Amino acid sequence: MIRLNFVRTLRYSPSSWHRRRAIGAGAPSCVGRRCAHSMDDMLKRTVAPMPTYETRDKSPPPAEASSLEFMRFYGGLERPQKLELLDKLSAQCGVDHRGVSELAAKLLEAQQRDLGTVLQVEDRLRYSLTPRYKLLLSHISRVEGGVKFLVDLRADVLEIISSQACDSPHIRDLNGALKSLLSEWFSAGLLQLERITWQSPCETLQKISQYEAVHPVRNWTDIKRRVGPYRRCYAFTHSAMPGEPLVVLHVALTEEISDNIQSIVREFSSLDAEEDIKKINAAVFYSISSTQAGLQGVELGNFLIKKVVRELQGEFPHLTQFSSLSPIPGFTGWLLGLLKGARGGGLLTGPEWEEVAAVAAAPGPEGLRKLLSDGEWVRSERLAGALRPALMRLCAWYLYGEKRRGYAINPVANFHLQNGAVLWRLNWQADTSARGITASCGMMVNYRYFLEETTANSASYLGSKVIATSDQVQNLVSQFQKMSKL
């Protein structure tokens, strides 16, 4: 399966407000007005004024102690106080809006003058749009543990936004500034690709196990197999966060492109087996997990896949088949929502409804909805066989036809299609675990990477919103359009 975060599936889980303190103990506790007063005082000490335009390159940086003080103070706060501090930081230490307005007016006046004058005013305006807190964030990144602190800080900001604990536009601006800085610091050129093996540090293996949330690692023997023969595990790391995998990719080396996850995570070769190169014809990316909630939206997963493809081609020059085996999070929820609505009766054909009625406690959409909700339908071969055509075409449409702003609504699909993959094959009973049945009625999908076509496919999807599909998927979509009435 492929998970994004970025996608959560690229996995971006909200970080807990009660996580272990990044900087440790020693920060002052505070409540009520006294806390607000101490926050104001702390911000005055730690957030330096913006240097003037003329002295922007000459002003000495603030003392390292200011950054450390802010980190200690923030680390000692509970959730409500963190929210209050971030609100104050973003609102009181942001952009000088009055100065921006004055420079914008000057820029309009300067249009009648020479180009040099116009460019100089534009540069002044650009500088004035820098929020004051950006200086603090930049200086925090230079102290030990500072980058990790800012990654966790953005995770808190994202949680504030997603939970709607605060609807301040200043908080959203702070999130944008943090994302911009982190995107620079975690660009592909600054990341190191590391292959995880059984000889990797125990702490690294433990983290890899903990981060694997979709196909949980059962024990040490399990993780040993996942980094053993016919398997590869890679991670991006960064020098500013030593010992912390940022995004992890698991790969199965197989004879053919896998159509089910059971054959990958439950059926293993011997731990001491020698790899037979003749049996390695395909590389299947079955799990990708972003480990840092604060890096959501920072492109890491797509770069990791491309880097791993080059790495595998170096190891196996004959290897040409690259594909994901991905989950379809959200499909069952989408389908249950349709069954609950007025149009639920148009999802299946007459004969298909008759098959459902023969075993369902309640007739029609409500009966099917109950069957799919409890997952018991998979125990009946007759019912599963009857539902297969309908569920396959509905799932194909969900991946292909359900859109948000013209792009695939499913986050995993959107991730791979942006990368230039082809929506290649929908697989029945590909994940028979309870989680797989609950999330996608047991189905999974292969996104196939034809290396010579990925650039064109990516441009077509991002520019024209065209999804590249195989004949199998297109046939299922056509069946949906012909047989389902939505």
Side-chain angles (χ1 to χ4, degrees):
M1 93 114 224
I2 293 282
R3 264 182 97 70
L4 292 216
N5 182 111
F6 22 134
V7 165
R8 197 183 189 304
T9 332
L10 287 154
R11 188 181 62 147
Y12 298 104
S13 63
S15 56
S16 168
W17 282 100
H18 302 291
R19 69 163 65 83
R20 186 182 304 172
R21 294 180 183 177
I23 304 305
S29 61
C30 53
V31 293
R33 292 182 178 179
R34 186 175 63 182
C35 182
H37 181 69
S38 64
M39 286 183 185
D40 291 334
D41 287 344
M42 189 273 303
L43 289 177
K44 287 179 182 178
R45 293 193 302 272
T46 60
V47 186
M50 284 287 290
T52 63
Y53 178 79
E54 290 75 16
T55 62
R56 64 192 186 283
D57 297 324
K58 303 173 184 177
S59 299
E64 184 177 291
S66 296
S67 298
L68 293 173
E69 179 183 1
F70 182 89
M71 294 165 72
R72 281 193 295 268
F73 187 93
Y74 184 84
L77 300 178
E78 297 298 327
R79 173 178 178 172
Q81 287 75 45
K82 286 183 176 180
L83 193 159
E84 183 179 358
L85 177 60
L86 292 172
D87 190 36
K88 285 178 175 289
L89 176 70
S90 60
Q92 299 176 12
C93 305
V95 170
D96 177 4
H97 298 292
R98 182 182 220 176
V100 169
S101 298
E102 293 174 354
L103 279 170
K106 289 182 179 180
L107 180 59
L108 290 175
E109 296 173 2
Q111 298 304 308
Q112 307 302 321
R113 303 181 64 180
D114 62 280
L115 179 59
T117 300
V118 172
L119 292 176
Q120 185 180 50
V121 177
E122 286 179 345
D123 194 46
R124 284 178 175 270
L125 178 58
R126 190 179 301 112
Y127 179 71
S128 71
L129 288 168
T130 304
R132 189 155 57 99
Y133 56 69
K134 191 173 182 179
L135 293 178
L136 172 65
L137 301 180
S138 296
H139 290 123
I140 286 176
S141 72
R142 299 171 191 172
V143 304
E144 185 176 355
V147 171
K148 173 61 174 171
F149 172 85
L150 293 175
V151 169
D152 291 340
L153 180 72
R154 182 166 182 254
D156 288 346
V157 172
L158 287 171
E159 190 168 348
I160 289 172
I161 294 172
S162 65
S163 66
Q164 299 181 334
C166 177
D167 60 357
S168 167
H170 297 296
I171 289 289
R172 296 188 179 276
D173 276 349
L174 174 60
N175 176 52
L178 281 165
K179 180 182 176 182
S180 178
L181 288 172
L182 293 172
S183 295
E184 293 179 12
W185 298 334
F186 289 89
S187 63
L190 300 177
L191 301 173
Q192 293 88 44
L193 180 68
E194 180 179 342
R195 179 181 169 188
I196 310 301
T197 70
W198 189 241
Q199 284 68 47
S200 297
C202 181
E203 183 180 1
T204 300
L205 290 168
Q206 187 171 8
K207 287 182 178 179
I208 295 297
S209 301
Q210 292 170 347
Y211 292 141
E212 183 51 55
V214 178
H215 308 301
V217 175
R218 297 183 292 274
N219 48 46
W220 279 105
T221 301
D222 195 358
I223 189 63
K224 186 175 183 179
R225 286 169 171 160
R226 297 193 192 194
V227 298
Y230 298 104
R231 299 292 181 267
R232 295 292 184 272
C233 179
Y234 297 94
F236 265 153
T237 59
H238 193 283
S239 59
M241 293 172 58
E244 277 289 340
L246 305 177
V247 58
V248 181
L249 178 65
H250 289 272
V251 185
L253 303 175
T254 60
E255 291 191 67
E256 298 178 344
I257 295 176
S258 305
D259 63 2
N260 71 88
I261 196 63
Q262 292 84 231
S263 63
I264 292 177
V265 300
R266 298 180 192 172
E267 300 172 12
F268 297 92
S269 60
S270 168
L271 294 176
D272 301 318
E274 291 289 333
E275 290 180 346
D276 183 351
I277 194 170
K278 295 178 182 178
K279 294 183 179 180
I280 298 176
N281 300 314
V284 179
F285 313 129
Y286 67 93
S287 176
I288 184 168
S289 300
S290 177
T291 67
Q292 307 293 319
L295 293 180
Q296 178 179 332
V298 178
E299 295 294 345
L300 296 178
N302 57 346
F303 292 125
L304 179 57
I305 287 178
K306 292 173 182 176
K307 190 101 172 178
V308 167
V309 166
R310 290 195 292 269
E311 190 81 4
L312 291 172
Q313 285 181 316
E315 187 177 0
F316 306 102
H318 69 286
L319 196 58
T320 59
Q321 296 185 82
F322 297 93
S323 174
S324 79
L325 180 61
S326 301
I328 312 170
F331 169 66
T332 301
W334 171 80
L335 180 54
L336 293 178
L338 291 180
L339 290 170
K340 192 175 183 180
R343 299 179 296 174
L347 297 178
L348 274 62
T349 65
E352 288 168 345
W353 280 124
E354 291 176 6
E355 289 282 357
V356 173
V359 295
E366 184 58 27
L368 179 55
R369 192 169 179 274
K370 289 182 178 179
L371 284 172
L372 296 178
S373 296
D374 63 22
E376 291 300 310
W377 63 275
V378 297
R379 299 180 184 275
S380 168
E381 290 187 14
R382 176 187 172 189
L383 183 57
L387 288 178
R388 176 174 178 169
L391 292 179
M392 287 282 281
R393 67 174 182 263
L394 285 163
C395 191
W397 177 257
Y398 170 71
L399 294 171
Y400 179 85
E402 289 297 308
K403 305 290 181 63
R404 178 182 290 118
R405 299 176 184 173
Y407 299 106
I409 195 172
N410 182 269
V412 182
N414 191 50
F415 170 76
H416 289 292
L417 295 171
Q418 285 187 53
N419 290 347
V422 173
L423 181 51
W424 188 63
R425 186 174 66 191
L426 193 58
N427 303 300
W428 180 251
Q429 291 188 341
D431 184 357
T432 55
S433 69
R435 185 176 302 198
I437 298 298
T438 300
S440 59
C441 299
M443 288 177 283
M444 299 185 77
V445 59
N446 297 116
Y447 297 98
R448 181 83 178 268
Y449 284 80
F450 296 97
L451 302 184
E452 67 279 3
E453 299 175 8
T454 54
T455 300
N457 288 343
S458 177
S460 182
Y461 179 69
L462 293 172
S464 305
K465 301 173 183 176
V466 174
I467 295 178
T469 63
S470 66
D471 290 342
Q472 185 234 27
V473 173
Q474 199 58 56
N475 288 337
L476 289 169
V477 169
S478 297
Q479 290 174 29
F480 171 86
Q481 293 170 325
K482 180 180 178 181
M483 303 169 75
S484 298
K485 300 174 184 178
L486 289 183

